[in-house]
């Protein structure tokens, strides 16, 4: 076979949370914006932060930490960022979602040597695909489709 690869690598973004890191493939992220653009919503689920106005569209912002059951303060903090995700192809342009980051996301390369880690039993894993060891730290790969299912209009 011509050009057979010995290993597979994926360029990803490690998104710091207050307690849990999120790992996303780089192509999943459309843009990273400042948290000052969030209009916080006082009511609703603990994990629902509010909306970010992005390119003329109101995109819902979630705290992935809170979705997994970690206790987090739902307030603006210095250094927070908002990652606006690309829509899932099967759901169309209206399925945009944003994830809150507790600091600057970092690019990492994951290869076939990455080790799957067991998720802590106290987490609500409905929104997680799996945990991965990234440089000695647990990173959770979110189930974006399950996240989108929490919003009936997306």
């Amino acid at each position: 076979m011509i050009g057979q690869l010995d290993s597979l690598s994926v360029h990803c973004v490690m998104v710091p949370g207050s307690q849990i890191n999120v790992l996303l493939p780089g192509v999943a992220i459309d843009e990273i914006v400042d948290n000052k653009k969030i209009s916080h919503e006082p009511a609703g689920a603990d994990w629902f932060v509010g909306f970010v106005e992005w390119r003329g569209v109101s995109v819902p912002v979630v705290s992935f930490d809170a979705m997994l059951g970690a206790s987090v303060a739902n307030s603006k903090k210095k250094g927070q960022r908002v990652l606006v995700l690309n829509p899932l192809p099967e759901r169309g342009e209206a399925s945009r979602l944003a994830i809150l980051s507790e600091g600057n996301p970092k690019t990492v390369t994951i290869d076939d040597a990455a080790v799957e880690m067991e998720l802590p039993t106290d987490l609500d894993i409905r929104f997680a695909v799996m945990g991965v060891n990234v440089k000695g730290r647990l990173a959770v790969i979110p189930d974006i489709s399950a996240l989108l299912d929490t919003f009936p209009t997306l």
Side-chain angles (χ1 to χ4, degrees):
M1 177 188 279
I2 298 175
Q4 184 174 6
L5 298 175
D6 292 334
S7 66
L8 172 71
S9 63
V10 178
H11 298 287
C12 296
V13 176
M14 177 83 97
V15 182
S18 60
Q19 296 177 11
I20 299 162
N21 296 308
V22 176
L23 186 66
L24 293 166
V27 298
I29 300 166
D30 196 324
E31 188 173 349
I32 300 173
V33 298
D34 193 75
N35 74 332
K36 293 177 185 163
K37 296 185 177 190
I38 299 174
S39 62
H40 285 273
E41 298 293 322
D46 291 342
W47 46 261
F48 178 61
V49 178
F51 291 95
V52 63
E53 284 299 317
W54 180 79
R55 297 182 186 177
V57 177
S58 288
V59 179
V61 180
V62 299
S63 165
F64 193 66
D65 275 314
M67 290 192 96
L68 292 177
S71 64
V72 293
N74 200 359
S75 61
K76 288 184 182 181
K77 296 178 197 161
K78 186 175 182 174
Q80 286 179 328
R81 302 286 182 263
V82 177
L83 285 79
V84 178
L85 304 181
N86 282 311
L88 295 177
E90 66 273 13
R91 296 210 182 199
E93 187 64 30
S95 66
R96 288 205 183 265
L97 182 68
I99 294 179
L100 187 66
S101 173
E102 293 297 330
N104 288 322
K106 307 267 189 269
T107 57
V108 296
T109 300
I110 303 299
D111 59 24
D112 56 357
V115 177
E116 183 175 351
M117 291 181 72
E118 196 168 312
L119 294 171
T121 57
D122 60 335
L123 294 181
D124 180 351
I125 60 169
R126 291 179 295 160
F127 305 109
V129 173
M130 65 187 292
V132 179
N133 182 339
V134 179
K135 298 182 181 180
R137 299 181 68 195
L138 170 65
V140 177
I141 299 172
D143 183 341
I144 302 300
S145 186
L147 292 173
L148 289 168
D149 287 344
T150 63
F151 294 93
T153 59
L154 296 181

